[in-house]
Structure formats: structure tokens, C-alpha cells
Amino acid sequence: MCFAIIILRLLMCVNFFLRVLACTPFTIISYFFMWYLPPFVSGRVAWYLTFHCLFQALTTLFQVPYSALTMFLSTDQKDRDSATAYRMTMEVLGTLIGAALQGQIVASAHVSPHCTVTPSVNTTDSWHDTASIPDPSDPLSHQAKVYMIAAGVIAGVYLLGIIVLFLGVKERDDPYALKSDRAIPFCKGLALTMKHGPYVKLTASFLLISTAVQLEQGNFVLFCTHAASLRNHFQYLVVTILVSAALSVPFWQKFLQRFGKKCAACGISWMIPFAVMLVTIPNLILAYFVAFISGLSIAASLLLPWSMLPDVVDNFRLQNPHGKGHETIFYSSYVFFTKMSAGIGLGMSAAGLEFTGYKPGICRQSDNVILTLKLLIGAVPAILILLGLFILVFYPITEESRKETKLALEELRRSHQSTENLDSHKKDTSV
């Protein structure tokens, strides 16, 4: 996250597409080396930490201009909402395709079962830990090779996506700003952003909700493996979540258009009762149903903040009509908070499991670890989601205020166009 603060300042200086193109080759290289096994052993922690931080920083450098382009595709709120829904659908599908590609490529490195049950004399069945993969100390081993191949394939897909973005999207100037208007200085713009009430409430709400989703996603596999005895099904459960999320984004888009965005936010809470049921009654059929409902809630949590953020930007623009360039500040700072939510979720999970004695690689964890996984899947996300939705109740932008803002901005744009035409006429007359 420290890299994100530096990136926020750099984003104000160059063109959107220049940022995307400039970071693309370095992003691909850093992703590949995240999966490369260096020949030395003592410095591997520093190696992976360096390239992981570099990859996160570079993806932030891409994600901010990519998401902020939504504001420049159209001045119509419905068009921007549709573009956001399409983008989120493609992102979930991309996650599904990436997981499928990498999973199939590296499957040959995980052919042996991790845990087996063997009968022992005069005792009940006992679990034996067997290594699922050999120790990858050799950089030229089969396991190391397949992971590098998978990294190369995913990097190629990333490059293809960048080419499609560069050739298929054209950046436009701010339609509301006068040519004479100056960009808001970064520090001043950041201070104004952090004082803007709708943005503060939106960010605080979805910071909690995103942390809850991170906890749910990050611990779902461990929960299925150790607490629900579903170790042979978690791959299919993850696919169920992704497919459900991808297919439900259009549904949520239609829902928020008809009933409003604040009303659609209630769908995020759908996962709470079913997750609690899975924790208390671990059952295979219930697990698939919970995976499906979780996909619906995750889709809502992904779509809504990015759909509501343009409304916040419009509200800010109406209050500050003679500034430009603030879109990048809003989007970059929101990306920072999403990264923060991921870090908080990972930190809570790691701290809780470490404190209760989680040991990676063994087949049976202690009762304290199982209890912790149940809390990280059920109670903690439920509390965070409810707190986030409670804060969202005070979010001031309603459907009525959105319509008023739209009319006011259209009038502002017409007045700016009249001013520009008048200035041009005066220059021609003077000549």
C-alpha cells in the first residue's frame, strides 16, 4: 500500500493510456518472476516479496486509469452504469478463465492426493500426511516448469487484454471543464476528496464490506478442507461462486436501475444466513447452495461501489465546477482503500490462524483452528457487512438527487460550451 501513495501522485502527471502502456511490460515481467523459482534458497523470501510488491504496485498503476475511463466514455449516467456492469462481468469471467487455465496447466504437479486414509490394525481409520508434491528445490524440476508455463500463459492473456483496451477505447477530454480551467493540485484535491461527505460514507461502507468478502473468499478453501470435510469439492465450489457471480451481474444491473442502488445493496447481505447455516450444518448440498448465493452477493459487492462512485464524482463536480482532473483522485484513492481492505482481510486471517496454532500441510487441524475458520467464514463477515450496510444508510445520494445532478450538469455543460464559443468569437473578431 505504500507504493499506492506514490502512484496516486504519479497518476496526475501523464495521459491515461500512457500510464497503461508504460506499466504493461513491467507488470508482465513481475508477474512471471512471482512464479519463477530462483536457483538460490536463502534469498527466496526477499525475491518473492519484492516481485509481489512490484506486481501489486504496477497493477494499481493500471487499475486506476482503466477504471477512471468510465467517466470519459459517456456523460449519460445510464451509459456509465451499463459500461460498469459490462466491465465487472468481464472481470469475473476473466478471473474464471484465468483460474481454469492455470489450474489445468499446473494440475500435473498435483497428481497425488494430499491426505489418505489407511486402516491400521486394532484401531479406527487414521489419517496420514503424505506430501502432495516433491520439494521444488530444483528450478528445472517438472513442478517449477509447469508453474512458469502457467505464468507465461496468464501474462499473454494480460497482454491481449491491454491490446484490446488500447485499440478499442478512445480517451476523451472532460466534457464539463472549460479549456481555461486548471487541474486541481494533487494535495488540495486529495484533501477535498477526503472531506466530501458522500465519498467518505461510500468508502467507509465498502471498506468494511470488501473486507468481509476478502475474509469469505480467502478462508473458504481452508474451511471446506478442514472444517466441513469437503476437501474433494472445494474446486467445484469455487467455480460455482465465480459462475454465479458472472451470471448475476446483469441481474443486479437491471435491479439497481429499477429499484435504486441503495436498495440493491441489500443483496450483499444474502450470503449471511446461508454462510451461518453452512458453519453450523456442514453439508455438501448446502455448500453448493451457499456457493451460489455467495456468488450473487459477491457480484453485488463488486458492481455497486464502482457504479456509485461516478455519482459521487458528479456530485463533487457540481460543487466544484471550475476544477478538472479530480476523477483520477477519486478513483486512485478508492483503489487504495480496496487494497487496504484486502490487506486487512489477509492480516486478520493470518493473525487468527497463527494465534490458534494452524499448521500448513497437515490433514487434521486442532479444534481451535476449526473454530477460527468458522468465525472467519460466518460471524466476522456478517458483522462487517451489517456495519457497512448501516453506514450506507446515511449515504446521501438518492435516485432523485442523481436526476437533479444530471440536469444541473447538463446545464453546466451547455453554459461552458456557450462560454467557449463566445471566447472563440471574441478572438476571431479581434483578429
Side-chain angles (χ1 to χ4, degrees), residues 380-391:
V380 178
I383 294 173
L384 293 175
I385 289 174
L386 293 176
L387 285 175
L389 293 177
F390 177 75
I391 295 174

Side-chain angles (χ1 to χ4, degrees), residues 61-289:
L61 187 59
F62 163 79
Q63 187 179 4
V64 172
Y66 168 68
S67 56
L69 278 173
T70 305
M71 295 298 302
F72 299 95
L73 294 178
S74 174
T75 58
D76 187 79
Q77 294 175 346
K78 290 185 178 180
D79 291 343
R80 291 189 312 220
D81 289 343
S82 298
T84 301
Y86 179 79
R87 176 170 69 90
M88 299 314 301
T89 302
M90 292 300 105
E91 285 189 13
V92 177
L93 284 176
T95 303
L96 179 61
I97 294 172
L101 284 175
Q102 178 144 346
Q104 290 298 317
I105 294 172
V106 304
S108 59
H110 301 272
V111 292
S112 59
H114 178 69
C115 296
T116 58
V117 180
T118 57
S120 55
V121 180
N122 298 327
T123 61
T124 58
D125 290 352
S126 60
W127 288 81
H128 294 273
D129 293 342
T130 59
S132 60
I133 53 177
D135 182 17
S137 58
D138 183 7
L140 299 179
S141 65
H142 171 70
Q143 182 189 359
K145 288 181 179 178
V146 295
Y147 272 99
M148 285 190 289
I149 293 172
V153 171
I154 299 300
V157 174
Y158 183 87
L159 180 61
L160 178 63
I162 296 297
I163 294 174
V164 172
L165 174 65
F166 181 74
L167 298 179
V169 180
K170 292 183 179 180
E171 182 182 352
R172 301 177 181 178
D173 292 331
D174 190 342
Y176 298 109
L178 289 167
K179 293 182 180 179
S180 58
D181 289 342
R182 294 183 178 182
I184 301 176
F186 174 75
C187 294
K188 180 181 178 181
L190 187 60
L192 291 173
T193 300
M194 294 297 104
K195 294 178 182 178
H196 192 58
Y199 182 70
V200 172
K201 293 179 176 66
L202 178 69
T203 302
S205 172
F206 280 96
L207 177 64
L208 295 172
I209 293 173
S210 298
T211 302
V213 173
Q214 290 291 337
L215 287 172
E216 192 87 19
Q217 291 178 327
N219 296 285
F220 187 73
V221 172
L222 290 176
F223 174 81
C224 291
T225 302
H226 299 293
S229 300
L230 299 173
R231 69 176 70 248
N232 295 326
H233 295 271
F234 72 81
Q235 301 97 329
Y236 308 108
L237 292 170
V238 171
V239 171
T240 302
I241 293 175
L242 293 175
V243 172
S244 173
L247 295 179
S248 61
V249 170
F251 162 76
W252 286 118
Q253 174 63 16
K254 294 293 184 182
F255 188 95
L256 64 87
Q257 286 180 346
R258 183 168 183 177
F259 300 102
K261 297 179 181 180
K262 291 180 68 173
C263 183
C266 297
I268 301 173
S269 63
W270 289 1
M271 71 167 68
I272 295 176
F274 298 101
V276 173
M277 287 175 60
L278 181 61
V279 167
T280 55
I281 312 172
N283 179 273
L284 179 60
I285 297 177
L286 180 60
Y288 277 99
F289 189 71

